[in-house]
Amino acid sequence: MSTEEATGLQRLEGSVENIIFTNEENGYTICDMALADDEMVTVVGTMPLIGEGDHLSLYGKWVHNPKYGRQFSVVQYERQMPGDVASILRYLSSRAVKGIGPKLAQRIVEEFGEDSFDVIENHPEWLASLKGISMKLALAASESFKEQAGIRSAMMFFRDTFGAATTVKIYKKWGSNAVDVAKKNPYRLCNEIEGIGFERADALASSLGFAQDHLERIMSGLQYVLMQSGIQNGHTCLPRETLLEEASVLLKVSRESADSAIAGMIKSGRLVERRLEKGDMIYDRESWLAEKSIADKLCLLDRMCAAVDLEDADRFIENEERRSGICYAAMQKKAITDALRYGVMVLTGGPGTGKTTVVRALLRIFESMDLKVALAAPTGRAAQRLSEATSNEAKTVHRLLEMSYDPAGRMTFNRDETNLLEENVIIVDEASMVDQALMRALLAAIKPGARLIMIGDADQLPSVGAGNILGDLLKSERFSTVRLDEIFRQAQQSLIVTNAHAVNRGEMPRLDCKDNDFFFLRRSSDREIAVTVADLCRNRLPKTYGDMARNGTQVIAPSRKGEAGTESLNILLQKELNPPSRDRQELTFRDRVFRVGDRVMQTRNNYDLAWSRGDEDGGNGIFNGDIGVISEIDPAENEMTILFDDRRVIYDYTLLEDLEHAYAVTVHKSQGSEYPIVVIPMCSAASMLLTRNLLYTAITRAQNMVILVGREDIVRRMVENDRHSMRYTGLAELLREAGA
C-alpha cells in the first residue's frame, strides 16, 4: 500500500474475490478484494465490467461505514487481465463474459489454455466448434469481451483526466470509438457529455498536442460559452460582442480569431445570427431551432383552433355560475371566454386573485363540451398541488409526454410529432417554470386544433433552464392575455397575500403585526439569524403549533452560501433537529451525512424510481423538489428508504447523488411548492439574489404563516431592487413577426 503524492489518493493492488453488488447502468460496484499480503478489504466505487479474479490497481481513499467499518472508496482504477490458466478459468467462471458460466469456462480453458481470451475476442468460430456452444452464443460472448476490452482501453486512456464514472458516460456515448473520438476532437467531450467542463476537455486536448489557437478549440470554446450562458443565466442567445468578450477571455485568444471563428461557424450552420432589438444575437443552432419551433407552433395552434361563439361562451359561464353558486368577477369571465375562443391563452396573476377558480370552471365547461383535458405542471410538487386544488388528475409535463431515457442516458419523449397527445385542451400551471427545452417538447406533441392555456405568476422567478417562456409570451402581446389583479375578500384577510402584493408593487410589507399570519423577527448578524431560525424550528414553532410546525415548516433562503445560507443552515438544523444517536442509523456519502429522520429533497426527476403505498398498488416517479424523510438505512443491502408523504421509496446507494438535505432550501428550489409555514432569513447575500421577485416568490410559497428573520434593511433592499434577471431571448420578437 503506498500513497500517491501527486493526487493525494492512496493506491491498493489486489484481486477481486467476491462481487457483492453491481449496478449495470452506471458501473457502481461493491466487492471484496484480496491484497498481496492476503488481507481482505471491502472496495466501493464505479468499476464497470470487473469480475471475480480480476487483478486491479485502485486509487482512492479510506472511508468508514457505520455498520461494516473501514472501506476503500475508489476514484480511479486500472485492470490487468489474468494471464495464467488458473486465473483465466476463475475469471471466465465468474460470468464476467456474457453467456459463459463455470462449465463452459472449463471446456474453453481445457481446449485453448492461455489463448482463451484471444479466441473469444478474435475467433468466435473456433469457440463455436466446442460442444454446447452455438455460433450465436460464441458471437455474443465475443461482443461482450470486446466491450470489456473497449472500456478497459477507455479507462486507461482517460485515467489521468477523468474519473471512472465520467469515463463510463463517455463510453456509453461512443462505445468502442470513444478513444478515437476524443483523440480526433477532445472538445466534443465538453459539448456532448454532461458534467465535463471546457477546462477538463482543454487539459486533455493540451496533452494530445492541440495548440491554443487551434480552430476546433476556438469553435468548441464558443459553443461552450453559449451553452454555459443557458445553464447559468438562462440565455437562449448572446450578443455577438458579449460572446466575443467571454470567449476570448476563456480561450486566451484574440477577438479577431474568435470573430473569424464565429463567421465560419455561421457559414457552416453551427451558429445562427439574428438581428434583434438588443442587437446582433448569436444562437447555437439547436437553441435557434428550438426558439423558432416554439414560435411557429404557438402561432399555428392559435390559428387552427375553432372558436366558441360569444353567445355560447356567455351561456356556458351563466350555467356554471348557477351550478357552482359563484358569481365570477369581470376578469375571471374574460379569462373563461378567451380560453373558449382562442387556441393559445395566457392567464396570470398573484396569490388570492382567483386563478384556480377559473381553472375549475374551465374543467367543468370543457367536460360539458366533451373535450378531453390534460392538466400539467413543470414539477411533481406543482402537479400534486394542481390535482388537490381541482380534484382532477394532474401530471408533470414530462410524464404527460411519457418521458424516458435512451441507452446513452439522454431524455426522450414518447409523445411527439409522430405520436401526438389525444387531449383537446392542455392546461399548464406554474408556466413561469417552463423552460425552452420543455416548451418545445410539449408543443411538438400537441395536435393541431387543440387549445393551450398557460397559467402562471409573471412576477415570480423565471425557469431554472434556458428561456423566459411566460415572460416572452406576455411581452409579445401576440396572444390573448388576462391578468387577474383583484384580491378576493377571503384572501384580503391574510397578510401573506396582502404583503406579497405589496412587495410586488415595490412597497414595504407590514412588519409590525403580531396577531396575523406574517411576522418579522429583527436580528442583526447572520449568526444571530441562523441561531434564531434553528430555535424557531426546534422549539418555538412546535411548542405553539404542534405537528403543523414539526412537519410543515420550511426554511427558504435567498442564497446557498453564508452563515444563514442553505448549506450552513442544513448542517445546523440537522444537528438541532436530528442529532447523532445510537438509535439512528447513518451513512456518509461524499461530504454529506444522511441519518434516519433527516429531511431530504430529490434534486432531479426520476421517472423510473418505484414507490409503494401500504397495501395499495404503487407507481413510478420521484421528482425534482419532492421532499421526504429518511425512515431506514440498510448497509447490508446498500439501501435507504425514504417516505415522501405516504409513498415509500427504496434508494440504492448509487442514487444518493440525487439527494440533498432539505431542512433549508433556496427560493429557486422551492418554486412550484407550498408549505404550511415558511421561515425566510433576511441576511446578507450577493446583490443579484436580493431582488423583489425573489422575496415575492419566497413569500408566496407559504400557506398559513410567513416568518422573516433578520435585517429590515435587507427587506427594504429587496423590495426596492426591481432588477429582473436579464435573459437574452428572441421568442417575443419572433412571435411578433409571425403575427404581423
Side-chain angles (χ1 to χ4, degrees):
M1 200 184 308
S2 64
T3 302
E4 301 294 305
E5 299 292 343
T7 61
L9 301 176
Q10 289 183 291
R11 180 177 181 271
L12 291 184
E13 188 171 330
S15 298
V16 178
E17 292 293 313
N18 178 41
I19 303 288
I20 300 169
F21 167 83
T22 187
N23 184 313
E24 293 183 3
E25 210 42 43
N26 58 22
Y28 183 84
T29 302
I30 303 171
C31 66
D32 292 325
M33 192 170 86
L35 306 184
D37 59 1
D38 292 330
E39 179 188 358
M40 194 72 69
V41 299
T42 301
V43 174
V44 301
T46 303
M47 298 175 284
L49 302 176
I50 68 166
E52 293 173 6
D54 274 355
H55 193 81
L56 305 178
S57 294
L58 308 177
Y59 303 86
K61 60 182 179 180
W62 291 100
V63 296
H64 181 77
N65 182 287
K67 186 169 183 177
Y68 293 102
R70 199 171 70 149
Q71 298 179 336
F72 193 76
S73 178
V74 177
V75 175
Q76 187 58 278
Y77 78 100
E78 299 170 8
R79 176 169 55 181
Q80 292 82 43
M81 292 298 288
D84 61 272
V85 170
S87 298
I88 292 171
L89 176 61
R90 188 177 177 203
Y91 178 82
L92 293 176
S93 298
S94 72
R95 303 185 186 275
V97 179
K98 186 177 179 180
I100 298 177
K103 290 183 179 179
L104 287 182
Q106 186 72 44
R107 280 186 225 150
I108 293 168
V109 173
E110 285 177 356
E111 180 70 22
F112 302 111
E114 293 182 359
D115 296 323
S116 296
F117 287 161
D118 180 58
V119 170
I120 295 171
E121 183 174 6
N122 300 310
H123 304 287
E125 69 279 8
W126 296 1
L127 200 62
S129 67
L130 297 181
K131 186 178 178 181
I133 302 180
S134 66
M135 181 56 74
K136 184 178 178 181
L137 190 153
L139 290 170
S142 182
E143 283 302 308
S144 173
F145 193 84
K146 286 176 181 176
E147 181 185 10
Q148 295 181 31
I151 202 162
R152 280 197 303 275
S153 173
M155 287 291 174
M156 291 295 291
F157 180 78
F158 294 115
R159 65 181 176 180
D160 295 329
T161 311
F162 308 121
T166 301
T167 301
V168 171
K169 288 184 182 178
I170 297 169
Y171 189 82
K172 279 193 169 187
K173 174 76 173 178
W174 292 298
S176 59
N177 295 320
V179 173
D180 290 337
V181 168
K183 285 181 178 178
K184 185 177 180 181
N185 182 7
Y187 296 102
R188 288 184 66 181
L189 299 176
C190 65
N191 290 322
E192 299 185 42
I193 305 293
E194 186 180 353
I196 297 179
F198 181 84
E199 290 80 4
R200 295 170 78 193
D202 201 32
L204 177 61
S206 180
S207 71
L208 295 171
F210 279 69
Q212 186 167 287
D213 60 352
H214 194 287
L215 181 58
E216 192 58 57
R217 178 176 184 268
I218 297 174
M219 291 193 297
S220 294
L222 287 162
Q223 281 194 290
Y224 183 73
V225 169
L226 285 169
M227 181 179 70
Q228 289 301 108
S229 75
I231 294 171
Q232 295 178 358
N233 301 306
H235 305 312
T236 64
C237 54
L238 281 179
R240 187 172 186 135
E241 284 299 307
T242 303
L243 178 59
L244 279 171
E245 182 178 346
E246 293 187 12
S248 57
V249 170
L250 173 71
L251 300 167
K252 296 180 174 61
V253 298
S254 68
R255 288 170 61 92
E256 290 75 19
S257 296
D259 198 37
S260 176
I262 290 174
M265 294 174 77
I266 292 171
K267 189 175 181 180
S268 68
R270 286 176 66 174
L271 300 180
V272 175
E273 185 172 28
R274 283 275 300 176
R275 172 64 59 89
L276 301 177
E277 288 176 354
K278 299 182 181 74
D280 293 334
M281 310 299 287
I282 304 295
Y283 288 82
D284 177 81
R285 179 173 175 79
E286 277 305 305
S287 182
W288 163 251
L289 291 174
E291 203 156 85
K292 184 73 166 58
S293 169
I294 291 169
D296 290 345
K297 187 61 182 284
L298 282 169
C299 293
L300 179 66
L301 286 176
D302 202 44
R303 285 197 307 270
M304 294 193 65
C305 182
V308 173
D309 194 75
L310 269 174
E311 290 184 7
D312 289 338
D314 290 341
R315 180 169 50 81
F316 279 127
I317 293 171
E318 289 169 6
N319 290 340
E320 185 55 30
E321 286 184 322
R322 280 196 299 271
R323 195 207 64 78
S324 65
I326 296 173
C327 183
Y328 298 114
M331 293 306 291
Q332 289 179 314
K333 289 181 179 179
K334 178 173 169 49
I336 296 169
T337 300
D338 284 8
L340 294 171
R341 288 184 52 78
Y342 299 106
V344 177
M345 195 273 272
V346 182
L347 176 63
T348 184
T353 57
K355 296 192 299 294
T356 303
T357 301
V358 171
V359 174
R360 291 195 196 104
L362 286 172
L363 285 170
R364 287 187 289 265
I365 291 170
F366 286 131
E367 183 182 359
S368 71
M369 297 169 66
D370 292 325
L371 296 178
K372 292 183 68 176
V373 181
L375 286 176
T379 69
R381 298 283 293 191
Q384 184 180 348
R385 283 177 46 227
L386 185 59
S387 291
E388 292 166 354
T390 62
S391 300
N392 284 61
E393 183 188 16
K395 301 177 179 178
T396 65
V397 178
H398 297 80
R399 183 172 287 282
L400 178 69
L401 300 179
E402 300 173 11
M403 193 208 84
S404 61
Y405 293 97
D406 66 15
R410 294 172 299 215
M411 187 168 61
T412 61
F413 298 101
N414 185 46
R415 295 289 184 172
D416 56 17
E417 299 93 337
T418 64
N419 186 23
L420 297 170
L421 293 168
E422 298 171 1
E423 287 81 1
N424 312 100
V425 183
I426 313 295
I427 300 176
V428 180
D429 197 17
E430 296 287 355
S432 63
M433 299 175 66
V434 177
D435 62 20
Q436 182 192 63
L438 190 58
M439 189 67 178
R440 182 189 194 183
L442 174 63
L443 289 170
I446 299 177
K447 63 185 180 182
R451 288 175 169 82
L452 174 64
I453 301 168
M454 302 286 285
I455 303 171
D457 188 342
D459 297 311
Q460 288 189 22
L461 295 171
S463 60
V464 174
N468 187 21
I469 300 298
L470 182 62
D472 281 345
L473 287 176
L474 296 170
K475 184 181 176 183
S476 74
E477 300 181 343
R478 173 65 177 75
F479 307 106
S480 165
T481 299
V482 178
R483 183 181 287 272
L484 302 180
D485 51 16
E486 179 184 350
I487 305 173
F488 289 93
R489 186 179 305 168
Q490 186 176 356
Q492 288 176 353
Q493 299 170 5
S494 167
L495 265 183
I496 295 174
V497 173
T498 56
N499 275 344
H501 284 275
V503 168
N504 198 36
R505 292 191 301 269
E507 301 167 5
M508 280 290 287
R510 286 185 57 190
L511 304 177
D512 56 352
C513 192
K514 306 295 185 184
D515 59 355
N516 207 290
D517 54 7
F518 194 105
F519 304 93
F520 179 59
L521 303 179
R522 287 175 174 81
R523 298 293 186 272
S524 300
S525 69
D526 287 1
R527 180 60 186 166
E528 287 179 295
I529 294 169
V531 169
T532 301
V533 168
D535 184 48
L536 283 166
C537 294
R538 182 181 180 180
N539 300 311
R540 295 168 64 175
L541 289 172
K543 184 178 179 180
T544 305
Y545 300 102
D547 285 344
M548 182 180 78
R550 275 187 285 272
N551 303 321
T553 299
Q554 183 60 58
V555 179
I556 302 177
S559 174
R560 297 183 68 91
K561 305 298 181 182
E563 276 195 283
T566 60
E567 292 178 357
S568 295
L569 283 173
N570 272 315
I571 294 170
L572 175 61
L573 290 168
Q574 183 190 41
K575 179 182 175 182
E576 293 292 328
L577 301 176
N578 193 32
S581 168
R582 291 183 179 179
D583 302 327
R584 294 192 187 101
Q585 185 70 259
E586 65 178 50
L587 70 89
T588 300
F589 181 79
R590 297 179 179 165
D591 59 344
R592 295 174 182 154
V593 176
F594 291 110
R595 186 174 298 132
V596 171
D598 273 347
R599 185 177 172 92
V600 293
M601 173 184 280
Q602 176 75 11
T603 60
R604 74 174 184 91
N605 291 332
N606 187 330
Y607 292 85
D608 299 321
L609 197 53
W611 53 263
S612 59
R613 181 184 287 143
D615 297 329
E616 301 177 20
D617 291 337
N620 295 84
I622 299 296
F623 308 107
N624 184 12
D626 282 354
I627 291 177
V629 177
I630 299 173
S631 64
E632 185 181 351
I633 295 173
D634 186 351
E637 298 294 331
N638 299 295
E639 291 178 346
M640 177 189 291
T641 302
I642 301 175
L643 295 177
F644 294 92
D645 298 322
D646 58 348
R647 296 171 297 163
R648 181 175 180 268
V649 183
I650 296 175
Y651 283 69
D652 70 55
Y653 287 2
T654 63
L655 298 173
L656 298 188
E657 63 184 1
D658 296 336
L659 293 173
E660 61 183 35
H661 291 98
Y663 297 102
V665 301
T666 62
V667 180
H668 287 87
K669 284 289 186 184
S670 74
Q671 284 182 271
S673 299
E674 285 186 345
Y675 313 94
I677 301 173
V678 167
V679 179
I680 309 172
M682 292 287 97
C683 57
S684 53
S687 58
M688 61 184 294
L689 295 173
L690 298 180
T691 63
R692 183 187 301 173
N693 66 334
L694 192 134
L695 178 58
Y696 172 76
T697 301
I699 292 171
T700 57
R701 300 307 89 204
Q703 296 169 312
N704 301 337
M705 186 182 301
V706 168
I707 304 173
L708 304 185
V709 183
R711 293 159 47 189
E712 188 170 344
D713 67 301
I714 295 292
V715 179
R716 187 174 301 280
R717 184 176 169 186
M718 294 183 78
V719 169
E720 292 175 353
N721 183 5
D722 194 26
R723 176 184 178 274
H724 288 262
S725 301
M726 168 56 117
R727 293 202 168 186
Y728 292 115
T729 68
L731 179 59
E733 289 180 58
L734 284 175
L735 289 169
R736 283 198 292 269
E737 288 173 11

